Amino acid sequence: MFYGDGRKEEKYYMHNTIKIKKLLYTITAASKNKVKGSQGQFPLTQNVTVVEGGTAILTCRVDQNDNTSLQWSNPAQQTLYFDDKKALRDNRIELVRASWHELSISVSDVSLSDEGQYTCSLFTMPVKTSKAYLTVLGVPEKPQISGFSSPVMEGDLMQLTCKTSGSKPAADIRWFKNDKEIKDVKYLKEEDANRKTFTVSSTLDFRVDRSDDGVAVICRVDHESLNATPQVAMQVLEIHYTPSVKIIPSTPFPQEGQPLILTCESKGKPLPEPVLWTKDGGELPDPDRMVVSGRELNILFLNKTDNGTYRCEATNTIGQSSAEYVLIVHDPNALAGQNGPDHALIGGIVAVVVFVTLCSIFLLGRYLARHKGTYLTNEAKGAEDAPDADTAIINAEGSQVNAEEKKEYFI
């Protein structure tokens, strides 16, 4: 609240209060003659919301005012300003505008104790008032994440807690992992010792795996006092896990007389130690031709004796893993024959195509010949049964006339 500090402030406030009371008495006496004219006079105010530490502007307006005074008082009913006269000695309170139609004051560096109902009074007869509630928002502190101890082993259950204090009203906490929000979390709200602000916390539980290594888990605090710019805390995860191993050959078809490089690709955290190469469960049989360089096994001038199972083994402080590769050395000539064209197959396909074509031509010829014979037989039909030559000719001509009326189709 806007309370004076010490005897000087109290004396100052009492002195101004006496002066204001005398002035109010004069105004009240004068107002008795203006009762009828003051019926349409009403002070108008609005509620104000401000962030702690900010500046609040309290404005009281009167649309119709016949030179009647205005006054602002705080929730403790202490007069702050009477018209343009300051009543309470508080350097945070300043006059913004004073006229017969408006009295506006500002309160800077607002604290939570300043919250409450403020009154604007218009000294008509009777006195008319309007209330304005000042709401002060408590800004949440920067959040902190606890519960992480590095490193975490793959498969362990991790519990992270995010906490922030000083928010009013209580802030909201949200969790994100790989930019994806996690909904299944626990939320707790507690009132602070000042009984005005809150401490809120949220707990996230999940089981980690190797894909979580290097992932950023973010705790985000949302609150209306932050002007759409949330506060965040971030925890980068460090997960330890056993190696994963894979053998990659330099060629898919190793040939006799050519070199071969087998690369042992191993991933793990901590980074695996230098890998161990073995063949058929024992040491490499020919160190002069089989040279290990880092994670690579170089075999010079392959031959049939190199056939077998090669094993790469990687180890770190968490565990051990391995992979195997079965080497089969191919004869260059056999590979060349396999890669060349198969003439027997091509010849067989051509023979089948020729045979099918000849059969199709033969069947088509027989079909056409049979249909042509039927046509000639029908054309002479009627002439064979005639008793004489003249009748036969007439019957044949009649058949031709009828034939013209028919439509014939040949395939």
Side-chain angles (χ1 to χ4, degrees):
M1 303 297 181
F2 307 120
Y3 301 112
D5 296 328
R7 295 182 179 179
K8 290 184 178 180
E9 284 75 8
E10 184 178 357
K11 183 178 180 181
Y12 175 84
Y13 177 75
M14 293 298 297
H15 175 71
N16 282 337
T17 301
I18 292 172
K19 290 174 61 179
I20 291 172
K21 284 184 177 180
K22 290 180 179 179
L23 184 59
L24 287 176
Y25 177 80
T26 304
I27 292 172
T28 303
S31 297
K32 291 181 179 180
N33 299 323
K34 301 180 181 179
V35 173
K36 293 183 179 180
S38 64
Q39 296 302 314
Q41 300 176 0
F42 294 96
L44 301 175
T45 60
Q46 287 185 333
N47 295 333
V48 177
T49 300
V50 64
V51 176
E52 184 180 12
T55 299
I57 304 295
L58 300 174
T59 299
C60 181
R61 290 189 176 89
V62 180
D63 292 335
Q64 301 178 17
N65 191 357
D66 51 358
N67 300 339
T68 303
S69 295
L70 291 168
Q71 171 188 286
W72 270 113
S73 57
N74 63 13
Q77 296 304 311
Q78 293 176 312
T79 300
L80 304 179
Y81 263 91
F82 185 85
D83 287 337
D84 59 352
K85 297 176 179 61
K86 188 174 185 178
L88 185 65
R89 179 175 291 180
D90 189 329
N91 293 333
R92 301 179 305 143
I93 306 173
E94 298 291 341
L95 180 66
V96 177
R97 187 178 295 105
S99 68
W100 295 118
H101 297 283
E102 178 182 341
L103 178 59
S104 294
I105 62 174
S106 67
V107 183
S108 60
D109 194 19
V110 174
S111 66
L112 295 174
S113 62
D114 294 328
E115 184 173 270
Q117 189 168 265
Y118 291 75
T119 305
C120 174
S121 301
L122 176 64
F123 286 93
T124 57
M125 184 57 68
V127 176
K128 298 176 182 177
T129 61
S130 179
K131 308 292 185 181
Y133 197 90
L134 175 62
T135 301
V136 182
L137 301 178
V139 182
E141 298 176 359
K142 183 176 177 60
Q144 301 290 332
I145 296 178
S146 61
F148 179 77
S149 57
S150 181
V152 179
M153 303 303 168
E154 182 178 26
D156 286 355
L157 182 65
M158 178 178 290
Q159 184 177 87
L160 300 178
T161 300
C162 180
K163 180 182 289 187
T164 179
S165 301
S167 60
K168 177 182 171 296
D172 184 34
I173 295 180
R174 301 166 67 186
W175 288 95
F176 294 85
K177 179 183 172 187
N178 278 339
D179 297 328
K180 183 178 180 181
E181 185 173 1
I182 304 173
K183 295 290 188 178
D184 188 16
V185 296
K186 300 174 184 177
Y187 182 83
L188 178 64
K189 177 178 70 173
E190 297 177 322
E191 193 175 59
D192 292 335
N194 59 17
R195 305 186 67 81
K196 293 180 179 293
T197 59
F198 295 89
T199 294
V200 294
S201 61
S202 178
T203 302
L204 169 65
D205 296 311
F206 64 101
R207 197 168 297 279
V208 300
D209 57 34
R210 62 187 60 198
S211 64
D212 294 322
D213 184 50
V215 169
V217 176
I218 294 175
C219 161
R220 191 175 88 181
V221 175
D222 294 318
H223 194 263
E224 53 189 300
S225 67
L226 299 177
N227 296 323
T229 305
Q231 293 183 344
V232 297
M234 182 175 66
Q235 178 64 64
V236 178
L237 305 182
E238 182 182 0
I239 312 301
H240 283 193
Y241 53 93
T242 57
S244 60
V245 182
K246 181 171 63 175
I247 298 177
I248 303 174
S250 58
T251 175
F253 297 104
Q255 299 182 31
E256 191 172 8
Q258 294 186 354
L260 174 67
I261 300 176
L262 298 179
T263 302
C264 182
E265 187 180 87
S266 59
K267 297 179 181 179
K269 194 163 187 178
L271 190 67
E273 301 171 358
V275 298
L276 175 65
W277 285 97
T278 59
K279 180 192 176 186
D280 297 330
E283 296 181 355
L284 298 176
D286 192 347
D288 293 334
R289 286 190 312 109
M290 300 177 177
V291 181
V292 176
S293 176
R295 302 182 182 277
E296 294 182 349
L297 171 60
N298 296 272
I299 305 177
L300 307 176
F301 309 110
L302 288 171
N303 57 55
K304 297 292 185 178
T305 63
D306 296 328
N307 290 341
T309 301
Y310 290 80
R311 180 186 180 92
C312 168
E313 186 178 286
T315 304
N316 64 8
T317 56
I318 308 302
Q320 175 182 303
S321 185
S322 62
E324 294 182 346
Y325 172 78
V326 178
L327 173 61
I328 299 176
V329 179
H330 298 275
D331 187 347
N333 297 326
L335 286 176
Q338 292 177 4
N339 296 332
D342 192 336
H343 298 288
L345 178 62
I346 295 174
I349 294 173
V350 171
V352 171
V353 172
V354 171
F355 176 75
V356 172
T357 303
L358 291 176
C359 290
S360 300
I361 294 173
F362 176 75
L363 293 175
L364 180 62
R366 290 199 60 184
Y367 176 81
L368 293 176
R370 290 185 63 184
H371 276 265
K372 184 175 180 182
T374 302
Y375 169 74
L376 293 175
T377 301
N378 290 336
E379 188 179 50
K381 189 176 181 180
E384 296 176 352
D385 299 332
D388 52 35
D390 293 335
T391 303
I393 292 172
I394 292 171
N395 290 341
E397 288 178 352
S399 298
Q400 290 180 0
V401 171
N402 292 333
E404 290 178 357
E405 295 177 357
K406 296 180 180 179
K407 294 182 179 179
E408 298 176 356
Y409 298 92
F410 298 94
I411 299 176

